[in-house]
């Protein structure tokens, strides 16, 4: 099977239940890793210490800890607060045993473009002190950095060894872009790849709602996911590959059944490449 050596992950946003139930369901379904949210840690007792022990016992790896929102280019009234939030998340990531912190490009309409590069440079430096990587993600509705190609140009200018990309199929294909957005990006600078599907492109004002509530598992929509995987295979991408599917219906279902269904969809997609 293609990508036999890539760690396969599931984002816990797809799964209902407690943090423990989510992690157990992911492992039982055969996932190697999970993307873990702040909410997963906050709802666990006693938090990061318990989660780290559970991850080791299953065993289950952490693709990343997320998500540091609206950090880059934060306006002056919020900038200090965002720097403090970043420091706190770095601390928690270390406690969890995570190697990567996920940071989407700011969606704040007050984002200060002239500060984006300096903020990301500071964040990468702080993370480096703790042995962490920063995975930066362009989102379709971000204020400044809306494409993977733009995110790569920013990362290339900064040049930090621990700063790399999140490649999210949703944000590429929902804007009707293609794998051309990944041209000239070295495989080692892609820190993780998130997959989802969509049956119909959202109308004007429904982009964010669709992204946060109505994504589909691979094979249930019409995104050209095979073209993305074919490209990744061609450049010998060996990093984490998995599912970030925000879907209210699946999230309300039994987590064990949902995780198994998700793994089946992912394996069917990989087998088709």
């Amino acid at each position: 099977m293609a990508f036999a050596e890539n760690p396969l992950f599931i984002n816990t946003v797809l799964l209902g239940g407690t943090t423990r139930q989510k992690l157990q369901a992911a492992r039982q379904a055969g996932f190697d890793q999970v993307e873990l949210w702040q909410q997963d840690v906050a709802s666990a007792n006693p938090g990061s210490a318990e989660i780290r022990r559970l991850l080791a016992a299953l065993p289950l790896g952490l693709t990343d800890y997320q998500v540091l929102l609206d950090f880059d280019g934060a306006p002056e009234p919020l900038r200090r607060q965002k720097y403090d939030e970043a420091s706190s998340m770095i601390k928690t990531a270390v406690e969890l045993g995570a190697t990567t912190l996920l940071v989407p490009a700011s969606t704040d309409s007050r984002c200060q473009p002239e500060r984006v590069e300096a903020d990301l440079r500071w964040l990468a430096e702080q993370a480096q002190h703790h042995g962490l990587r920063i995975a930066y993600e362009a989102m379709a509705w971000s204020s400044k950095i809306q494409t993977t190609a733009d995110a790569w140009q920013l990362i290339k200018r900064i040049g930090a060894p621990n700063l790399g990309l999140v490649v999210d199929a949703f944000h590429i294909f929902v804007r009707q872009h293609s794998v051309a957005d990944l041209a000239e990006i070295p495989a080692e600078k892609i820190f993780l790849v998130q997959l989802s599907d969509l049956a119909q492109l959202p109308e004007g004002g429904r982009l964010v709602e669709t992204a946060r509530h109505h994504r589909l598992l691979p094979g249930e929509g019409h995104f050209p996911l095979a073209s993305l995987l074919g490209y990744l295979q061609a450049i010998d991408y060996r990093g984490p590959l998995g599912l970030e599917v925000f879907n209210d219906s699946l999230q309300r279902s039994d987590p064990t059944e949902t995780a198994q269904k998700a793994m089946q969809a992912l394996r069917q997609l990989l087998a088709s490449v």
Side-chain angles (χ1 to χ4, degrees):
M1 182 183 292
F3 303 102
E5 298 181 4
N6 297 70
L8 301 183
F9 69 83
I10 186 171
N11 190 308
T12 58
V13 75
L14 178 60
L15 304 174
T18 66
T19 300
R20 175 178 290 272
Q21 289 171 331
K22 293 177 183 182
L23 298 181
Q24 290 174 333
R27 188 58 189 146
Q28 289 171 13
F31 287 99
D32 305 302
Q33 301 179 350
V34 293
E35 291 189 281
L36 197 68
W37 288 74
Q38 284 181 287
Q39 294 92 321
D40 296 319
V41 179
S43 63
N45 185 18
S48 54
E50 179 189 5
I51 291 173
R52 184 165 186 165
R53 287 193 295 269
L54 179 58
L55 289 168
L58 284 170
L60 194 63
L62 283 181
T63 311
D64 58 74
Y65 176 53
Q66 59 180 254
V67 55
L68 179 58
L69 292 170
D70 297 332
F71 172 79
D72 53 320
E76 196 56 54
L78 296 177
R79 199 166 192 226
R80 184 68 264 164
Q81 176 185 329
K82 285 296 176 182
Y83 271 50
D84 290 343
E85 182 182 344
S87 298
S88 177
M89 288 197 69
I90 287 172
K91 178 176 180 291
T92 301
V94 171
E95 292 172 351
L96 289 166
T99 60
T100 304
L101 178 65
L102 193 146
V103 184
S106 176
T107 61
D108 191 333
S109 61
R110 299 163 296 172
C111 176
Q112 306 294 302
E114 69 279 4
R115 289 180 169 173
V116 166
E117 185 171 331
D119 287 343
L120 266 187
R121 191 182 300 275
W122 176 88
L123 183 62
E125 290 174 353
Q126 297 305 306
Q128 184 66 50
H129 294 324
H130 297 276
L132 285 174
R133 305 189 307 173
I134 299 297
Y136 187 65
E137 178 179 6
M139 298 205 296
W141 60 90
S142 293
S143 302
K144 175 176 170 60
I145 307 295
Q146 296 184 343
T147 71
T148 304
D150 287 343
W152 167 237
Q153 292 305 314
L154 174 59
I155 288 170
K156 190 163 62 169
R157 286 198 304 273
I158 294 172
N162 66 323
L163 179 62
L165 283 166
V166 177
V167 171
D168 186 328
F170 182 89
H171 295 296
I172 294 174
F173 296 133
V174 79
R175 289 294 194 186
Q176 301 184 66
H177 286 237
S178 72
V179 295
D181 279 13
L182 307 184
E184 301 182 3
I185 300 173
E188 63 271 16
K189 294 303 285 185
I190 299 174
F191 284 178
L192 63 132
V193 176
Q194 299 171 329
L195 303 172
S196 62
D197 213 337
L198 205 61
Q200 184 175 353
L201 294 177
E203 298 178 358
R206 296 179 58 86
L207 172 59
V208 176
E209 179 190 353
T210 299
R212 292 177 176 169
H213 301 282
H214 304 295
R215 300 190 202 189
L216 302 175
L217 292 172
E220 296 179 343
H222 304 296
F223 278 166
L225 297 176
S227 69
L228 173 58
L229 293 181
Y231 181 86
L232 293 170
Q233 190 174 31
I235 66 172
D236 197 25
Y237 171 72
R238 300 189 181 188
L241 181 69
L243 303 174
E244 185 188 52
V245 181
F246 293 77
N247 183 293
D248 290 355
S249 178
L250 288 173
Q251 203 271 341
R252 288 192 295 265
S253 302
D254 177 81
T256 300
E257 294 179 3
T258 299
Q260 291 172 347
K261 183 177 181 180
M263 176 56 85
Q264 182 180 15
L266 179 57
R267 290 201 181 280
Q268 286 177 345
L269 173 63
L270 298 179
S272 71
V273 178

